[in-house]
Amino acid sequence: VYTNVDTERFSATPGLRERMRAELHLDAQTPVLIYAGRICAQKQPAVFAEVMRELVRTKQRFVCLVIGEGEDLPWLKRYISRNHLQAQVRVLGAVPNDVMRDMLAAGDIFFLPSLMEGISLAIYEAMAMGLAIVGADVGGQKELVTGDTGILVQRAESAAVEAQRYI
């Protein structure tokens, strides 16, 4: 496997989705988004945050799990708090790789609005777990994400404009 993604390990085992959703206190009908990686400029936390704010504003039903750490995590936590997003956006911090696989099992959509990427290993893992992808049309993502597996969004000059493209 040239991507180093073990698709036998990164596959939803029977009952894992239900177990993880129960542990996270999520019902089966609530769409779960996952935003995972280093919380830094490259992963565009401002775009992510604005999309989440707009989804809450328009009363969309969802929960988003933020998984990772980085220099922009304190800013993101403040944004979530100031905009009263805590009920829908849960910041979990860094988790070990085996726990990450379990978190992916609970998800429906993997959200990655990166500024730049090669071909994202995180997207490979999410796809192996059966998640739809919503991400930036950067780097080699078109080689991986097709209309059958997700949506790639064109970058914009400002975070506000780019966030609107995701909505």
Side-chain angles (χ1 to χ4, degrees), residues 24-85:
L24 294 164
H25 306 288
L26 297 167
D27 63 57
Q29 291 75 37
T30 300
V32 175
L33 290 76
I34 296 182
Y35 174 67
R38 183 158 176 74
I39 311 302
C40 64
Q42 179 193 356
K43 304 302 182 190
Q44 299 204 97
V47 170
F48 162 76
E50 181 63 22
V51 170
M52 296 303 108
R53 189 184 68 75
E54 185 64 16
L55 290 175
V56 169
R57 188 189 71 73
T58 59
K59 301 186 182 339
Q60 301 302 312
R61 183 176 179 196
F62 76 98
V63 168
C64 184
L65 306 177
V66 177
I67 304 169
E69 292 183 344
E71 57 270 16
D72 289 341
L73 186 58
W75 173 88
L76 183 57
K77 287 179 176 179
R78 286 190 306 274
Y79 185 97
I80 291 166
S81 178
R82 275 194 316 267
N83 289 280
H84 311 289
L85 305 177

Side-chain angles (χ1 to χ4, degrees), residues 4-5 11 39 52 64 67-68 74 77 83 86 153 157 162:
N4 294 319
V5 174
S11 64
I39 311 302
M52 296 303 108
C64 184
I67 304 169
K77 287 179 176 179
N83 289 280
Q86 300 93 325
V153 174
E157 291 298 318
E162 190 161 338

